[in-house]
Amino acid sequence: MEASLRGYLTEIDSRASAGHGAAELARVEIPRVVAALRALLDDHQPDPDGRCPSCRTRWFTRAPSPCRAYLTTHLCLLAAEDEVEDFTTATTAYPRHLANPSPA
C-alpha cells in the first residue's frame, strides 16, 4: 500500500513538472488530493483539550497538539509558503532580484 501511494504521488509530481496537460491534471487530481488530506486531518482532529485522539504516545495518554499530521501538513503547505513570501518580499536587492528575475 505504501509503495502504491508513493508511486501515485511520484506520478502526479512528474506529470505536473512536465507541464503537459497540467490543467486537466489539476482539475482531476487536486480535488482527490484535497479530499485525502481532509480525511487524514479529520482522523487527527484535536479533542476539546487540544489533544489528538489518533496519536497516542502511551496506552492511556494522547500526543500533545498539534499532532504530527497537523504539524507536517502545516509545515508543508503553509509555513513553506510563508518563508518564500517573506524571503521574496524582504527589502534587500537579492530577494527582489529572485522575485522578479530579469530576462537573460
Side-chain angles (χ1 to χ4, degrees):
M1 185 171 14
E2 180 185 352
S4 65
L5 182 57
R6 288 188 183 276
Y8 167 77
L9 294 174
T10 300
E11 166 97 15
I12 297 299
D13 188 37
S14 63
R15 287 174 57 196
S17 296
H20 301 294
E24 179 65 17
L25 176 70
R27 187 186 67 73
V28 172
E29 298 299 336
I30 287 177
R32 292 178 66 197
V33 172
V34 168
L37 189 54
R38 282 187 176 145
L40 175 70
L41 293 176
D42 285 347
D43 285 343
H44 292 269
Q45 184 68 35
D47 64 15
D49 295 326
R51 306 251 181 201
C52 178
S54 297
C55 297
R56 293 182 178 221
T57 57
R58 296 191 184 115
W59 276 94
F60 297 105
T61 62
R62 293 184 181 166
S65 187
C67 73
R68 286 184 180 242
Y70 268 86
L71 185 59
T72 302
T73 302
H74 184 270
L75 289 174
C76 290
L77 296 177
L78 302 174
E81 180 181 280
D82 291 344
E83 287 176 14
V84 169
E85 184 176 305
D86 290 345
F87 182 72
T88 59
T89 58
T91 58
T92 64
Y94 184 65
R96 279 196 310 270
H97 170 73
L98 291 177
N100 301 312
S102 59

